Amino acid sequence: MPSRDNGTSPPASAPDAVPRGCTNLKLRQASRLVTRHYERFVAPTGLKITQYSLLSHVVKLGPLRAGALAAAMQLEASTLTRNLQPLLQQGLVQMRTGDDARSRVVEATAAGRALREQAQRAWKRAQSALNERLGSARVAALHALIDECLPLLETDAPHPEDTPHG
């Protein structure tokens, strides 16, 4: 049985490693576990982790156009609209008409800013607990790998099947 390190060092990379299994499945499994971890910490505030993330972006970036918020969070407009609904209903954010009649501006209310501050403390505890569980070096390596991969996965990036072969 392989030994597990204490999580303080990032996993060794093998230049000739061959991926096994479905990357999408592995990422979704990891995402569900990490989401569950954060949910346990943030849930007492009454927010889901996705709502906390959205509220945090509105507080940090707002007031801003809904389209700009969707772009900043890399969300489809319909997903943003659906995810904003509970925050609007709870009075944590408000939407008003922008510069023209078609644009909408999203901004946090005073109640939203206060709840975000409370939820941020819970999020920080979740982050610290995750760093402790996985090891800070491993989390930093994971962040670096994700940051390296994100631009490669952008929808505007050319895909090999789109490139003519010579």
Side-chain angles (χ1 to χ4, degrees):
M1 181 152 147
S3 65
R4 295 175 69 169
D5 70 18
N6 65 2
T8 58
S9 60
S13 61
D16 56 350
V18 176
R20 291 190 314 217
C22 176
T23 303
N24 184 56
L25 175 63
K26 289 180 180 294
L27 287 170
R28 290 176 62 88
Q29 288 171 330
S31 180
R32 281 192 295 271
L33 290 171
V34 170
T35 297
R36 248 183 255 143
H37 170 84
Y38 280 88
E39 290 282 356
R40 284 193 297 271
F41 285 85
V42 175
T45 68
L47 292 173
K48 295 178 184 271
I49 194 64
T50 52
Q51 294 169 333
Y52 165 72
S53 179
L54 180 53
L55 182 58
S56 285
H57 275 80
V58 172
V59 168
K60 281 192 304 189
L61 304 174
L64 75 163
R65 287 182 12 266
L69 177 59
M73 295 187 71
Q74 295 185 334
L75 293 173
E76 297 292 327
S78 61
T79 302
L80 175 67
T81 300
R82 186 174 51 254
N83 291 349
L84 274 173
Q85 288 309 310
L87 300 178
L88 288 162
Q89 291 168 355
Q90 295 173 53
L92 301 173
V93 298
Q94 62 186 9
M95 198 173 281
R96 59 180 167 77
T97 304
D99 294 338
D100 62 59
R102 295 177 304 168
S103 69
R104 299 281 179 252
V105 172
V106 182
E107 63 185 317
T109 63
R113 287 188 296 278
L115 185 58
R116 188 266 187 167
E117 191 173 308
Q118 177 188 351
Q120 188 174 34
R121 289 190 294 273
W123 174 87
K124 284 180 180 179
R125 289 191 302 276
Q127 184 69 40
S128 292
L130 189 71
N131 290 349
E132 171 124 357
R133 188 170 192 173
L134 297 179
S136 293
R138 185 174 280 120
V139 173
L142 179 61
H143 285 206
L145 182 59
I146 291 169
D147 289 344
E148 181 183 326
C149 290
L150 286 175
L152 301 172
L153 295 169
E154 290 293 326
T155 56
D156 294 342
H159 296 282
E161 65 271 11
D162 297 338
T163 308
H165 298 286

